[in-house]
Amino acid sequence: MSVVIGSESRPLRVAIIGSGPSGFYAAESLLKNSEIISEVDMFEYLPTPYGLVRAGVAPDHQQIKSVSKVYDKIASMDRFRFWGNVQFGNDITREELLDTFDAIIYAIGAQSDRAMGIDGETKIGSHSATEFVAWYNGHPDYKETLFDLSHERAVIVGMGNVALDIARVLALTPEEIAKTDIPHHVQEQLSSSNIKEICLVARRGPLQAAFTNTGTKEIPELEGAVAVVDPEELKLENNTAEILKDSNDKKMIQNLQFLESISENQPDPSKRTIRFLFRRSPQEILGGDHVTGLSFVVNELFTDDEGKIHQTMTEDLETLDCGLVFRSVGYKVKPIDGIQFDAKRGTIANVEGRVIHAETSETQRGEYVVGWAKRGASGVIGTNKPDSIATVDKLLEDLPSWTGEPLVRSQAETVKTLLDSKEIHYVPFEDWKIIEKAEHEEGAVREKPREKFVTVHDMISVIKAEKLG
Ligand code: NAP
């Protein structure tokens, strides 16, 4: 007997994969809907929720991290369940979820970094932004990653907010680091760093810098660093100067104001230097096994027929000696079997959030995507709210064409039985709160916002210890 889905007796059952902002906003949109009764089960790889809010937002941006309180409220809603420490594709498969739920929403972010596609990218000392950001934020998978901070210069390729986050973190003094929630082992390594100069390198000009003032505004306040840019770097080509003249682009104008404000600065030998370089494309990472430098080709800019600014290479080459190279040139999603990957955008292939089948290229019944996995790595945390609501609206548009079997037992029991049958040690939201409480307590001892657990083992141990009393 088929029944209508979305009623009290037969709620809409939705699995959300990932517990970052886009996943929580999708859950909220479903659970707040007054016409459709939904149950939401959120599956998260780590025992800890909040995705990039915990593992991506820079640790000197604690104010931004406080958005997690909004997600706690969503997690406290009726019919919401959190299953942490459950790896999608391994502990629970797509097929199992399709059998158990009416719909899946992928909120998996864009976890792979884009490569620069140049020689030497795999040398020791060449890292993705992903690795470094995850390491300084205490992601358990990156606890053992080694960064050689003994060299005097680090180069960051790319000029977005992630590049600026990395530059700021590398520039923090031990005192500034101590006020953040950077884990203790990272704090020790950063505090003894030998880095004197951090270079950020963009392939286009200052007007095309991708960062915003959320990344630059603290730079002048850094106690142990001075930001510099050679005034020559800020000279605008005729075509781009015209763009500026007619522009209302707030980000572009603010970025230029920031760069002009630092153009009179001189390096201070008692401080670190953060140097901005423009119109240079990376050519090759130099060295033997270890990075010793990065060569660049100098670019010129031109405007295409649609008014977009591109770079074209000149014959001029430059080299920067350095021991560390970070590529911060964007992210792409990790592909999922059975679902089409959009290689150009680095996303799960989708039409307005409806996922596309790998072979048929048609939209896949009951599978949806939100956040970076839907639109690519762009926007700020708040961008995810309307984005997730838009996808949930598509799901609810599709719902009237679905019917389902009546439930023989509660969805909570079904999921629990499935995970128990595989002996998965899942972490419900109340157990995450035990982890969080212990992190805050240890943080208070160390006079910092929290001291993060950086192994899953330690997280599970503290839950067990609390429950044993
Ligand atoms: P992004 O803003 O897209 O910046 C990527 C940078 O990489 C651009 O400067 C881009 O230059 C450059 N690039 C791309 N391919 C390149 C190549 N092959 N060679 C050299 N340079 C290359 O990406 P993101 O910094 O990873 O940030 C992702 C999103 O997260 C953004 O929306 C960002 O605003 C957001 N975010 C926000 C915050 C915050 O609000 N505090 C913090 C972190 C991240 P072109 O422009 O020339 O392509």
Side-chain angles (χ1 to χ4, degrees):
M1 184 190 64
S2 289
V3 292
V4 173
I5 302 173
S7 65
E8 194 69 50
S9 59
R10 177 56 174 87
L12 168 68
R13 303 162 310 165
V14 180
I16 297 182
I17 315 300
S19 66
S22 65
F24 271 106
Y25 292 128
E28 181 184 39
S29 174
L30 284 162
L31 294 170
K32 276 197 171 163
N33 187 294
S34 54
E35 283 159 32
I36 302 293
I37 306 292
S38 305
E39 297 215 5
V40 172
D41 290 271
M42 180 178 273
F43 297 91
E44 164 60 52
Y45 164 63
L46 290 172
T48 55
Y50 316 136
L52 281 187
V53 170
R54 181 175 165 102
V57 170
D60 59 340
H61 281 168
Q62 290 299 314
Q63 186 56 33
I64 297 180
K65 285 182 190 266
S66 66
V67 69
S68 62
K69 292 196 183 86
V70 173
Y71 310 143
D72 287 353
K73 275 205 180 135
I74 299 168
S76 71
M77 292 172 88
D78 285 347
R79 304 174 194 271
F80 174 93
R81 288 174 292 273
F82 176 77
W83 307 90
N85 202 29
V86 179
Q87 187 174 19
F88 171 70
N90 191 15
D91 297 336
I92 198 158
T93 64
R94 173 171 167 254
E95 290 68 29
E96 285 166 334
L97 291 175
L98 288 171
D99 282 348
T100 317
F101 289 88
D102 302 306
I104 306 175
I105 298 179
Y106 298 103
I108 57 174
Q111 295 163 348
S112 303
D113 59 284
R114 288 184 185 274
M116 294 184 284
I118 60 171
D119 284 345
E121 226 165 326
T122 55
K123 287 187 198 301
I124 300 166
S126 162
H127 300 277
S128 65
T130 321
E131 288 176 288
F132 192 62
V133 170
W135 177 71
Y136 67 57
N137 270 312
H139 190 299
D141 289 355
Y142 296 85
K143 178 179 179 286
E144 306 296 339
T145 313
L146 294 175
F147 298 93
D148 183 353
L149 304 170
S150 66
H151 299 265
E152 294 205 343
R153 187 184 283 130
V155 177
I156 306 165
V157 177
M159 199 75 90
N161 279 324
V162 172
L164 281 191
D165 285 350
I166 293 175
R168 285 198 323 278
V169 168
L170 285 171
L172 294 176
T173 61
E175 295 72 29
E176 287 168 327
I177 294 171
K179 289 184 218 145
T180 71
D181 65 355
I182 287 179
H184 190 62
H185 73 287
V186 175
Q187 187 176 351
E188 279 182 348
Q189 291 177 57
L190 286 175
S191 297
S192 56
S193 158
N194 202 30
I195 290 174
K196 303 263 185 301
E197 182 169 282
I198 302 142
C199 294
L200 293 123
V201 188
R203 61 182 171 180
R204 295 188 291 156
L207 297 189
Q208 292 77 44
F211 55 72
T212 61
N213 72 340
T214 58
T216 54
K217 69 174 186 285
E218 293 99 351
I219 285 189
E221 289 151 29
L222 291 170
E223 283 168 21
V226 54
V228 302
V229 62
D230 188 327
E232 280 294 309
E233 299 277 334
L234 303 186
K235 281 200 176 148
L236 302 176
E237 295 79 358
N238 279 342
N239 50 356
T240 65
E242 268 166 40
I243 293 175
L244 183 65
K245 207 169 60 184
D246 301 331
S247 176
N248 298 318
D249 185 334
K250 199 169 147 205
K251 180 190 97 169
M252 189 163 83
I253 293 165
Q254 280 178 337
N255 284 352
L256 195 62
Q257 281 168 350
F258 163 74
L259 290 163
E260 280 169 349
S261 74
I262 61 167
S263 65
E264 299 294 311
N265 290 352
Q266 295 300 323
D268 174 343
S270 69
K271 295 184 174 186
R272 293 192 170 111
T273 303
I274 302 176
R275 185 179 295 282
F276 290 79
L277 295 163
F278 293 94
R279 302 178 192 82
R280 290 167 178 83
S281 282
Q283 275 299 93
E284 185 181 352
I285 298 186
L286 309 169
D289 289 346
H290 293 254
V291 173
T292 57
L294 181 57
S295 68
F296 298 94
V297 63
V298 177
N299 292 328
E300 284 174 352
L301 303 185
F302 69 94
T303 314
D304 71 14
D305 294 344
E306 287 160 15
K308 193 165 185 287
I309 308 292
H310 300 272
Q311 73 283 352
T312 178
M313 294 183 187
T314 67
E315 298 200 332
D316 295 341
L317 284 174
E318 285 179 7
T319 299
L320 276 175
D321 293 338
C322 60
L324 266 178
V325 172
F326 295 104
R327 54 185 180 279
S328 184
V329 296
Y331 295 91
K332 59 185 181 189
V333 80
K334 277 193 182 148
I336 298 174
D337 281 349
I339 286 177
Q340 211 173 91
F341 173 63
D342 182 333
K344 196 166 167 225
R345 292 162 64 216
T347 62
I348 290 177
N350 71 90
V351 180
E352 297 177 319
R354 292 182 175 107
V355 164
I356 293 178
H357 192 280
E359 276 138 37
T360 62
S361 289
E362 285 174 6
T363 51
Q364 185 97 11
R365 182 200 187 278
E367 288 183 84
Y368 300 86
V369 60
V370 290
W372 278 11
K374 170 187 176 184
R375 65 176 192 274
S378 67
V380 293
I381 289 170
T383 314
N384 291 299
K385 187 164 180 170
D387 173 286
S388 293
I389 292 172
T391 291
V392 168
D393 285 349
K394 294 294 160 196
L395 188 161
L396 296 177
E397 258 174 41
D398 296 343
L399 181 60
S401 64
W402 306 345
T403 51
E405 299 300 311
L407 299 187
V408 285
R409 58 183 166 174
S410 79
Q411 186 67 350
E413 251 178 278
T414 304
V415 176
K416 184 175 180 319
T417 307
L418 179 63
L419 295 176
D420 283 346
S421 71
K422 298 173 164 206
E423 298 182 2
I424 309 294
H425 190 125
Y426 57 84
V427 173
F429 209 75
E430 59 269 24
D431 286 4
W432 144 245
K433 286 287 158 187
I434 296 174
I435 299 173
E436 188 180 49
K437 182 167 156 271
E439 289 188 342
H440 282 146
E441 283 169 0
E442 185 57 27
V445 174
R446 296 173 188 263
E447 297 182 11
K448 58 197 280 198
R450 70 173 75 218
E451 181 60 45
K452 286 179 176 174
F453 289 101
V454 292
T455 69
V456 171
H457 175 269
D458 288 351
M459 295 177 194
I460 302 294
S461 298
V462 79
I463 295 169
K464 283 185 180 160
E466 173 80 14
K467 288 190 168 171
L468 285 174

